[in-house]
Amino acid sequence: GSSGGQITITSAPGETPKIVGLVELEGSYTTLSGLEIDGSNNAYNAVRSGTSCPAPVSNGLEIDGHNDTFQYNNFYESVPSLRGNGIGIGWNGQANNTVIRFNRIHDLGQCQDYDQMIYLAHGNNAQICDNWMWNDPHGWGVQVYPAASGAHIYNNVIDGAGSGFVIAGDTTVQNNVIDHNIVMNSTGLTHAGLP
């Protein structure tokens, strides 16, 4: 896509497509909208040092381009033994101006405080809003780490996660705003020191 021509990937009218497996948005100016995505896969092979976490597990849906939008989707990982991170923003790129909105994001994670529903790693000016997220007792609803700035995270509902939000990193992590969210039924993240 381009600034003058966003590419939209969506369902045909009257259809309900289901995508199964690893999804990566590496291009820019791309929108994924109105899809059911079962992100179960076995692409993440790394054994996480100092943990008893299983491997392989699902590599999360990756957004690594800029000006990408993920909206009105139902995203989950149906295979409990493969559950890992949910959506990774900027894991392998500077994902500026990413928009994550109006989604259902659920049934994720199994690794002691490492598997987040939305993991904002790198990028400026992300907007994460109006999402309904549930059932990830092993991670945060949204983690901003290690180098994302200018994010606005608002109007989300996080139900049954380990905890709601965390912001951490170096001096490049700044000007992030989290407001008007609902966090309920948190399970606690004992390995992270949160009862």
Side-chain angles (χ1 to χ4, degrees):
S2 66
S3 59
Q6 187 91 359
I7 294 172
T8 298
I9 300 168
T10 189
S11 59
E15 298 294 326
T16 307
K18 180 178 179 180
I19 299 169
V20 179
L22 176 60
V23 174
E24 295 184 5
L25 280 180
E26 295 180 5
S28 297
Y29 297 98
T30 303
T31 296
L32 283 182
S33 182
L35 303 171
E36 179 179 349
I37 303 172
D38 179 351
S40 297
N41 64 77
N42 61 2
Y44 190 81
N45 299 328
V47 176
R48 301 181 219 194
S49 177
T51 75
S52 59
C53 301
V57 294
S58 297
N59 193 87
L61 184 147
E62 289 191 38
I63 300 174
D64 293 317
H66 58 273
N67 297 293
D68 289 332
T69 299
F70 187 81
Q71 63 183 12
Y72 299 106
N73 298 297
N74 181 18
F75 177 79
Y76 57 92
E77 293 167 353
S78 68
V79 181
S81 64
L82 292 176
R83 288 182 179 157
N85 277 296
I87 299 171
I89 303 167
W91 281 343
N92 293 298
Q94 185 71 14
N96 293 332
N97 306 312
T98 299
V99 177
I100 309 289
R101 63 184 175 200
F102 305 116
N103 301 288
R104 290 175 290 165
I105 301 167
H106 56 98
D107 296 312
L108 303 165
Q110 63 177 307
C111 181
Q112 55 191 55
D113 314 336
Y114 287 91
D115 293 334
Q116 321 326 329
M117 289 194 217
I118 298 176
Y119 189 146
L120 174 54
H122 297 92
N124 300 315
N125 307 315
Q127 184 181 98
I128 300 170
C129 62
D130 298 297
N131 300 289
W132 180 23
M133 298 181 268
W134 73 92
N135 194 25
D136 181 359
H138 304 284
W140 277 272
V142 180
Q143 174 175 283
V144 180
Y145 171 84
S149 296
H152 191 190
I153 302 166
Y154 62 99
N155 291 350
N156 299 286
V157 175
I158 300 172
D159 185 3
S163 190
F165 304 94
V166 64
I167 298 177
D170 59 25
T171 57
T172 63
V173 179
Q174 55 188 336
N175 302 318
N176 296 294
V177 176
I178 298 174
D179 65 332
H180 294 89
N181 297 280
I182 296 172
V183 178
M184 57 195 206
N185 301 315
S186 296
T187 61
L189 295 173
T190 56
H191 290 91
L194 300 173

